[in-house]
Structure formats: C-alpha cells, structure tokens
Amino acid sequence: MTEHVDILPAPAPGVVCAIWREVAAGACVPSTVPASTYACLNVIARGAVRLAEDGSALPTCFLTGPFCQPIRTETVGPMRSLSLVLPAWLLPAWFGVAPPALAHGLLALPHPALDLLLAAVDERSHLAAALAALAKPASAAERRAQALADALLHAGAVAAAAHACQLSARHFERRFLAAHGLRPREWLRVRRFEQSLLQLAQSPSLAQLAAERGYADQAHMSRDFRYAAGLAPRLAKGAMLADTAGFWAFRPARLLG
C-alpha cells in the first residue's frame, strides 16, 4: 500500500477532524491539497514533504491558513504525519496568530510546544492530551466570527449579510476578514466549493449538484473546481471514490459529508 490515511471527525470542540497519513518506504507520492476556508496544524513525525513548486521542504511542525487555490506537494516515504483541521478564528486564541496574517501562507512552529502532538502521530492515545493543552475556552470573539460566517452563508451576499448583522457592508467586510482570513467573496467561493465537494462522491449528476449548490450551470461549477482544486469535478469524484494516492486531502469531505 503506497499511502494510508485515517480520519477522526471532531476529536475536540471546534476541531473539524484529525488526519493521520502514512506513505510507504520507497514511494514517491505527488499530492494536491484543495483550497480551504479552514486553517490546519500539521506535524511530520518522520520523513519529509516538499512543495512541488520549488522543492522546498515543509517544516516538521507548521500552520497553514485558509487559501483559495490548490497546493501541490511531493512526499517521499517513509513518512508519517498528523494534521488537525481548525476554523481560522481559533488561530488567535490557540497560537496568537491573526487569520489574515496566515492566509495563503504557512508558519513554522517550535517543536517543544507540540511534543504531545508529535507523539500522537504514532500513539493516538496522546491526541486528547495534546488537544487539551492547546485548546482554549470559546470566546465572545469566536462566537461573533461564527455568526458572521452563518450570516454570509444564509444570505449568500455581502450586502444582505451585513444588513442581517446590522452593519455597513464595509464594516462587515473588515470584521469578516479579521476573523476568517479571507475576504467575504473569496470565502464564499471557496466554501461553496467545499460544500460541493461534500456531496460530489454521492451525487449521480454533476448538473444537479451544480444547481443544488447555487452555480449558474455545470460549466460554472467546473471553473470553480479548477480554480480551487486544480482539476475538473469528474476527476475529483473519481479520485475520491478510488482512494487515489495523493488525494488524501479530499477524503475528509467524503467521510464527513
């Protein structure tokens, strides 16, 4: 087996999922990580993962912020890693990082602060203690961030969401960017892609899926998939159904949907 991936949904309040990934010795696996409205905490216990763009090695422990276009990597086994998918609004409380500062980028973290999480790559019983050490009680700011996202999803447009929150459109946009790291229209585009990805593996019709998710037509959905994932919906669906190596980052959508 070239690549093995296990996913644990919602291992702690606020955490979307934990993803364990292993690449076999001697294997070379190119991967695509699609656009995401979420942040991700990653630890690589052994082996190395490199960015396909320039060949630079990713740090052992690092955060990624929300991003709008796919990231391509290459992993040479043996490699073992653990990734925690988090809402971007947790970044200030957990790591002291403002979401806009991490959007479309990554931040290396010191190893000692994440010793328990590194241990959890091989021994999953350490995950609960690692999360307990990282987590902070939900704050009023995080509840406001969730309310902004809910309003935008419900309204589908900035002006209507701002009105529902009793804010000017400009004030809403500033608050949203500070809380989520992406501008509202960017966030909406990526979130609609994420929601489409949730249904993609089970949907018998791409045209029906496009209509249900509010795209103008199937061609519109295909353009957004190429923008966010670097490939057409049909290819993404095939990779998800076949558990194709290198598409590990697509699997949480299929399993959590």
Side-chain angles (χ1 to χ4, degrees):
M1 182 163 46
T2 301
E3 178 184 68
H4 181 73
V5 178
D6 282 331
I7 301 170
L8 176 63
V15 181
V16 177
C17 63
I19 307 169
W20 284 269
R21 180 180 179 226
E22 182 174 3
V23 173
C28 181
V29 180
S31 299
T32 297
V33 181
S36 176
T37 58
Y38 294 96
C40 192
L41 171 59
N42 307 275
V43 293
I44 302 171
R46 61 177 60 86
V49 182
R50 300 184 180 278
L51 292 173
E53 183 179 11
D54 59 11
S56 58
L58 292 173
T60 299
C61 301
F62 64 99
L63 279 170
T64 57
F67 53 97
C68 295
Q69 293 189 280
I71 298 172
R72 290 184 170 84
T73 65
E74 184 177 85
T75 302
V76 177
M79 191 283 305
R80 291 178 65 87
S81 66
L82 170 61
S83 299
L84 299 178
V85 180
L86 316 162
W89 65 73
L90 288 181
L91 292 173
W94 285 35
F95 304 103
V97 179
L102 200 53
H104 312 294
L106 64 84
L107 174 68
L109 296 173
H111 301 184
L114 297 171
D115 279 348
L116 283 173
L117 206 55
L118 280 164
V121 178
D122 292 317
E123 183 49 68
R124 299 184 188 187
S125 61
H126 291 296
L127 180 61
L131 289 171
L134 285 168
K136 306 291 189 298
S139 67
E142 289 162 16
R143 290 190 288 271
R144 287 194 296 269
Q146 178 67 69
L148 292 173
D150 290 344
L152 187 59
L153 276 176
H154 179 74
V158 173
H163 179 76
C165 294
Q166 299 182 329
L167 298 169
S168 69
R170 189 171 182 180
H171 196 182
F172 179 91
E173 288 180 345
R174 285 200 301 267
R175 284 193 180 183
F176 195 96
L177 176 62
H180 295 273
L182 299 176
R183 299 186 185 281
R185 290 174 183 82
E186 291 177 321
W187 188 92
L188 263 181
R189 184 179 188 181
V190 177
R191 179 51 61 92
R192 180 164 58 178
F193 158 75
E194 290 174 327
Q195 291 177 327
S196 302
L197 201 59
L198 288 174
Q199 297 175 243
L200 182 63
Q202 288 77 33
S203 178
S205 166
L206 294 179
Q208 180 181 340
L209 175 59
E212 289 175 353
R213 294 267 51 99
Y215 290 103
D217 52 29
Q218 185 176 334
H220 181 197
M221 184 175 73
S222 294
R223 287 194 298 273
D224 265 22
F225 261 73
R226 289 188 176 92
Y227 173 78
L231 70 168
R234 197 173 303 279
L235 292 176
K237 180 176 181 176
M240 293 166 73
L241 290 173
D243 284 339
T244 302
F247 285 83
W248 64 272
F250 288 74
R251 286 189 60 185
R254 191 190 72 181
L255 297 180
L256 298 177

